[in-house]
Amino acid sequence: MRTVELMTRIAETDVTFSIDDGRWRGKCLICNGWLSFDARTGFGANIEHIYPRSLGGDNDLSNLGLTHPGCNGEKGRNWDPKRRHRGNPERYRAIVEHLRQRRRERWRERA
Ligand SMILES: [Zn+2]
């Protein structure tokens, strides 16, 4: 599946997202701030793997969210690499659980 198709599916299953004039608008899964991306190209947002692929996380929609590129990059650099979260595994688990919970709260069944 192309990245933008996956992004569309994530937006469709996130109640904060709606489409208007060729752009999806909704809330970043990480910082909860407003976010928008081009519905055709996907430009403007990143796909966040809540439980990262490097730790066995998959492409199931419940494990994916849309984020600002900066928020996604920050989590990827500061928390997801093993050598980073090994020092504070409880904090890391709390972050991942928080994101999973937020994704669940926003869940919307596709029409
Ligand atoms: Zn953000």
Side-chain angles (χ1 to χ4, degrees):
M1 193 188 303
R2 290 191 311 145
T3 300
V4 67
E5 290 171 13
L6 191 53
M7 291 173 78
T8 302
R9 291 196 184 193
I10 299 167
E12 285 171 346
T13 56
D14 183 322
V15 75
T16 70
F17 277 85
S18 57
I19 190 166
D20 181 45
D21 207 17
R23 290 190 77 79
W24 281 101
R25 288 185 176 77
K27 288 187 165 187
C28 172
L29 188 71
I30 292 180
C31 77
N32 217 27
W34 287 104
L35 166 75
S36 79
F37 65 93
D38 188 306
R40 194 172 47 85
T41 64
F43 187 79
N46 277 22
I47 295 174
E48 160 70 15
H49 286 74
I50 297 170
Y51 199 63
R53 279 170 295 187
S54 61
L55 296 176
D58 56 23
N59 270 349
D60 194 280
L61 285 174
S62 64
N63 191 47
L64 302 174
L66 295 166
T67 67
H68 296 113
C71 291
N72 179 253
E74 207 171 304
K75 175 171 173 284
R77 273 191 307 278
N78 296 328
W79 287 103
D80 291 337
K82 264 184 192 147
R83 66 190 151 74
R84 296 291 184 131
H85 63 247
R86 195 182 282 141
N88 198 343
E90 283 174 22
R91 174 84 179 115
Y92 182 66
R93 200 174 314 123
I95 290 170
V96 170
E97 267 313 305
H98 177 70
L99 295 178
R100 291 187 86 98
Q101 179 65 31
R102 181 176 276 168
R103 182 71 171 111
R104 270 197 295 271
E105 284 168 6
R106 291 183 183 182
W107 187 262
R108 162 172 68 193
E109 290 296 331
R110 297 169 75 201

